[in-house]
Amino acid sequence: MAVQKLRSGVISRIARLIDFRIDERLRDLNGRVNDLEHATADHRRRLDGAEGGLEHARGDLRWTRAELDRLIPSVAAQEAQLEDLRESLSLPAHADKPELAEARSLIQEIQRQHAQIRVRLAGIARYEDRLRRLEETITVPAGE
């Protein structure tokens, strides 16, 4: 009887120790799972923000593309005008002085407008490059 009492005491102590260890591990695991759930929620929120920013950048890129498509014919027309004027000036001039002055002022105006368009196109190209780099940054996860 004493042996049986001793055996049941040892068994109950071992059972309590096992239960304690299991409860301790479960608390640790519950804490880790909770932390991972918070991290996952944070990652989802950040991903949603990044996708929204990417969609905004795509909209800006579409607008920029439309503006570029709108400006290209104007630039081409002005280049053609400028070339026609250069050709007409290289021909022997049969015009009087006021017509030559007017032609030169027209050429200068076209050159000024052409320079402005080049500056705008360069700005658009820089903007598109920024958008491209932003898209690459968003599509490649950090840490890779």
Side-chain angles (χ1 to χ4, degrees):
M1 188 77 157
V3 174
Q4 191 176 9
K5 192 175 182 183
L6 183 62
R7 188 183 308 166
S8 68
V10 169
I11 290 174
S12 68
R13 283 190 87 181
I14 291 174
R16 281 195 311 268
L17 180 63
I18 290 172
D19 287 343
F20 175 76
R21 293 293 182 194
I22 289 173
D23 287 343
E24 186 179 5
R25 287 262 173 105
L26 284 176
R27 278 193 301 275
D28 290 345
L29 288 175
N30 284 336
R32 289 180 62 197
V33 166
N34 194 21
D35 291 345
L36 290 173
E37 285 175 348
H38 289 301
T40 301
D42 182 49
H43 289 141
R44 284 186 180 135
R45 188 180 70 253
R46 289 172 56 197
L47 179 61
D48 289 343
E51 286 175 346
L54 180 60
E55 192 54 42
H56 180 72
R58 284 182 180 143
D60 288 347
L61 184 60
R62 283 189 291 271
W63 178 85
T64 302
R65 184 73 219 171
E67 286 297 304
L68 187 61
D69 289 343
R70 186 180 64 81
L71 288 174
I72 286 174
S74 297
V75 172
Q78 285 192 346
E79 285 178 346
Q81 254 185 331
L82 186 59
E83 191 56 38
D84 289 345
L85 285 173
R86 280 190 186 132
E87 287 176 9
S88 68
L89 287 178
S90 67
L91 297 174
H94 297 290
D96 58 357
K97 296 282 185 195
E99 288 177 353
L100 287 176
E102 182 182 348
R104 285 194 177 101
S105 69
L106 183 59
I107 289 173
Q108 289 173 347
E109 176 63 21
I110 290 172
Q111 287 173 337
R112 184 186 66 77
Q113 289 178 4
H114 194 257
Q116 286 177 345
I117 289 171
R118 272 196 307 257
V119 167
R120 287 181 186 139
L121 289 175
I124 289 170
R126 282 194 306 270
Y127 185 73
E128 284 183 336
D129 186 53
R130 259 180 70 201
L131 287 176
R132 179 190 54 78
R133 283 186 275 136
L134 177 65
E135 285 178 341
E136 287 174 358
T137 303
I138 290 174
T139 57
V140 175
E144 282 192 16

